């Protein structure tokens, strides 16, 4: 199976809990015989491991999501004949997968399952501290769209699953 993770975090190249999860899953899945690729949307990484495609980031969440969609489309097209992608997993926060999912045909993933691993959206985090801004409103809209359009959402517990279903 060929699995592609689309993320803004990948330990140790960038900080963040989701990046630790992606790095660990990458190791475990590779050890189990799967092909694992990562599309990392970030400016900070100083190194690129084999199997990691680094895409420059952007401050604007919608633009960042478009950059990720373009990278996924190029990656899928490049690997369509030799090692087609069987599953794409995208982070929940920042709405990174919005444009990829909103235009699945252009992204080349009409029939490729896309899942979201729920870590905790920026929407929920900023709501919990009662912080509102136009930028957060855009991110919240993108995140809600990603969670609504995904083929499946992976959650750590039934309680969080119920909360995600109720909210998104």
């Amino acid at each position: 199976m060929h699995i592609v993770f689309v993320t803004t975090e990948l330990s140790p190249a960038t900080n963040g809990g989701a990046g630790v999860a992606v790095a660990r899953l990458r190791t475990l899945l590779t050890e189990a015989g799967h092909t694992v690729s990562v599309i990392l949307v970030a400016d900070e990484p100083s190194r690129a491991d084999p199997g990691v495609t680094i895409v420059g980031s952007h401050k604007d969440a919608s633009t960042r999501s478009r950059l990720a969609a373009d990278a996924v489309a190029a990656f899928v097209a490049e690997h369509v004949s030799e090692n087609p992608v069987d599953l794409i997993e995208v982070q929940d926060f920042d709405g990174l997968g919005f444009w990829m999912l909103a235009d699945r045909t252009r992204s080349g993933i009409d029939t490729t399952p896309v899942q979201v691993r729920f870590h905790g959206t920026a929407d929920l985090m900023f709501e919990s501290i009662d912080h509102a801004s136009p930028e957060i409103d855009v991110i919240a809209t993108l995140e809600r769209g990603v969670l609504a359009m995904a083929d499946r959402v992976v959650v750590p517990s039934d309680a969080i699953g119920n909360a995600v279903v109720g909210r998104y």
Side-chain angles (χ1 to χ4, degrees):
M1 190 171 192
H2 188 178
I3 303 157
V4 175
F5 289 96
V6 183
T7 182
T8 59
E9 300 175 357
L10 180 63
S11 181
T14 60
N15 294 322
V20 171
V22 169
R24 185 69 179 133
L25 285 167
R26 180 181 180 208
T27 298
L28 293 171
L29 290 165
T30 301
E31 288 172 354
H34 300 286
T35 301
V36 180
S37 303
V38 177
I39 296 174
L40 178 61
V41 183
D43 289 331
E44 312 90 48
S46 58
R47 64 185 188 103
D49 293 342
V52 177
T53 301
I54 297 177
V55 178
S57 191
H58 194 277
K59 287 181 0 182
D60 174 67
S62 183
T63 302
R64 205 168 34 247
S65 177
R66 285 191 185 274
L67 291 169
D70 291 346
V72 167
F75 187 89
V76 168
E78 180 182 334
H79 292 85
V80 72
S81 59
E82 71 191 53
N83 192 5
V85 175
D86 299 300
L87 174 69
I88 297 170
E89 180 172 303
V90 65
Q91 70 187 36
D92 59 345
F93 51 93
D94 284 347
L96 191 61
F98 182 84
W99 288 111
M100 175 183 62
L101 287 163
D103 193 358
R104 290 180 84 141
T105 301
R106 190 187 73 76
S107 296
I109 58 168
D110 308 57
T111 59
T112 306
V114 177
Q115 71 184 26
V116 175
R117 184 169 305 275
F118 188 84
H119 294 279
T121 59
D123 175 33
L124 285 175
M125 288 184 267
F126 284 106
E127 182 180 293
S128 71
I129 62 171
D130 197 27
H131 175 80
S133 73
E135 180 184 43
I136 299 305
D137 290 344
V138 170
I139 290 171
T141 300
L142 295 172
E143 290 173 341
R144 290 176 184 147
V146 168
L147 289 162
M149 290 185 283
D151 297 309
R152 59 183 158 238
V153 178
V154 179
V155 295
S157 70
D158 289 340
I160 291 177
N162 291 334
V164 169
V165 167
R167 184 174 182 104
Y168 301 106

